[in-house]
Amino acid sequence: MAFAAPTPIPSRTQYVLEAIKHAILTGQFAPGKALVEAELAAQYGVSKTPVREALKTLAGTGLVVMSQYKGVTVRTVDAAMAREVYDVRLLLEPEALRRTITRRASLEAAGQALIDADSAADQAERSLANREFHRALYLPCGNPLLARMLDEVREQAALVSTVAWSTDPSWQREADEHRQILGLALAGDAEGAASALHDHIASFVQRAFPDGEDHS
């Protein structure tokens, strides 16, 4: 079955999209914050049309929520939401990495992502680099559908990290775990790398939301 190529996003919409995403991932726009089209248009010096389109795209990724009564708000993160997102990752990511290693696919992008995370200027850049690290592990798995399914939860996982880091900035620990995972992967240890990745994902959500604790 052939899939149509995605429609390119106009430059002004892309600019607003990245600006709002950066504000969300640095905590400038906190979970639950109302995102008003007119205010955002004035803030970014554009008309309301690119703002509206950007918000629709962000709603599709799960970073914002559109409601007929409340308008558009940054998605609220609670234990249930975090565990839902991370449950999907636990089910799929270790298997994807196992397949990537078995196929002897290149992991150069994962190494570069670690460098980018170490040199990140702020929390948003670090979050983006962390996402790229994980994506570099699963993208070459050989199953495009599996990779797309994991892509669908990337933004929501980043939002969970942003909220968790606001109370427990544990990125150094996670960076060390990333190096361990990549080391095992580069050594060709598919089972060891997959197990380390599973533990990495599971321990993060348990630390961030112990006993179902909410951060919203």
Side-chain angles (χ1 to χ4, degrees), residues 40-58:
L40 293 171
Q43 179 174 344
Y44 298 122
V46 298
S47 69
K48 289 196 292 185
T49 298
V51 173
R52 185 177 305 118
E53 293 305 313
L55 291 176
K56 287 180 181 177
T57 299
L58 290 169

Side-chain angles (χ1 to χ4, degrees), residues 28-198:
Q28 179 184 346
F29 291 169
K33 175 180 172 59
L35 300 177
V36 182
E37 286 183 13
E39 293 177 358
L40 293 171
Q43 179 174 344
Y44 298 122
V46 298
S47 69
K48 289 196 292 185
T49 298
V51 173
R52 185 177 305 118
E53 293 305 313
L55 291 176
K56 287 180 181 177
T57 299
L58 290 169
T61 67
L63 278 184
V64 306
V65 177
M66 290 184 163
S67 167
Q68 181 179 354
Y69 304 104
K70 294 183 179 180
V72 183
T73 57
V74 178
R75 182 166 185 175
T76 299
V77 174
D78 58 22
M81 177 269 195
R83 293 182 185 282
E84 181 180 287
V85 170
Y86 274 68
D87 188 41
V88 172
R89 295 185 65 195
L90 282 170
L91 289 169
L92 301 182
E93 271 196 55
E95 176 60 26
L97 175 57
R98 187 181 291 110
R99 295 185 181 199
T100 292
I101 298 170
T102 301
R103 297 179 70 237
R104 298 182 180 179
S106 172
L107 292 169
E108 182 178 352
Q112 182 59 52
L114 290 184
I115 295 173
D116 293 342
D118 287 340
S119 61
D122 59 28
Q123 182 173 296
E125 284 190 12
R126 187 178 292 108
S127 178
L128 293 171
N130 284 351
R131 285 191 308 157
E132 288 307 312
F133 172 78
H134 282 273
R135 192 168 193 260
L137 299 182
Y138 67 70
L139 192 62
C141 70
N143 185 325
L145 178 58
L146 176 56
R148 286 199 299 273
M149 291 171 70
L150 284 165
D151 272 350
E152 288 184 2
V153 298
R154 288 178 77 218
E155 304 285 12
Q156 295 173 60
L159 182 58
V160 172
S161 296
T162 296
V163 172
W165 286 348
S166 67
T167 57
D168 179 19
S170 58
W171 50 72
Q172 187 56 61
R173 173 175 176 170
E174 286 137 38
D176 293 340
E177 292 173 355
H178 284 173
R179 291 186 180 88
Q180 178 193 15
I181 294 164
L182 183 58
L184 290 167
L186 291 173
D189 185 353
E191 294 305 319
S195 177
L197 177 59
H198 183 282

